[in-house]
Amino acid sequence: MAKTEELSFGYLLNDVTLLFRKHFDRRAVKFGLTRAQWRATKMLYYREGMRQNELAEALEMEPIAVGRVIDRLQAAGFVERRPDPKDRRAWRLYVTAQAHDVVDDMERIARGLRGEATRGIEYDELKQALEVIGRIKENLQALEATEPPLAGQP
């Protein structure tokens, strides 16, 4: 009897991710945003007022790297830092009107690409596949609590 662990899917998931990113980047190049900048802008669009460390955690990035992304977004006019009213040392992050326009365009690109990528796939099929992938993700996240870190990592 076949077992689920005998089905190799990691490379397929990686290939799908890489292809999706490649096609998205080609369509979104006109906005001049890197993928990291786009992800940060989109996150702030939906969760304005986050602190930089909160954004780093949500994006699963190092705070220093997120700081550089925010610096570039601020210089390009997409994000602004405002003082945190509860902590003089901290800043809250907000998107600008320019970012709102770009997020709307990027969402249209993403929707179109998702439509093309899922051509011939029924809604219920995709929903079930995503539920299974979500459970795989949860299983892998649960391993974080039980496995020791790799050598050289905290």
Side-chain angles (χ1 to χ4, degrees), residues 45-119:
Y45 178 86
Y46 291 106
R47 295 175 58 188
E48 280 196 312
M50 295 178 83
R51 291 171 67 170
Q52 191 169 302
N53 63 332
E54 294 168 336
L55 179 62
E57 186 176 318
L59 295 175
E60 297 180 358
M61 292 176 64
E62 293 296 321
I64 299 257
V66 169
R68 288 191 294 268
V69 167
I70 297 303
D71 289 344
R72 288 187 193 107
L73 286 170
Q74 187 174 18
F78 290 104
V79 170
E80 60 183 38
R81 289 177 167 106
R82 297 182 196 161
D84 186 329
K86 296 178 182 174
D87 184 348
R88 291 184 311 183
R89 301 163 297 163
W91 297 90
R92 297 278 175 180
L93 303 170
Y94 296 86
V95 293
T96 63
Q98 177 182 341
H100 278 264
D101 294 340
V102 169
V103 169
D104 291 342
D105 289 340
M106 298 282 257
E107 289 288 0
R108 276 191 287 283
I109 290 171
R111 255 190 321 278
L113 183 54
R114 284 192 304 264
E116 291 175 40
T118 58
R119 188 176 301 126

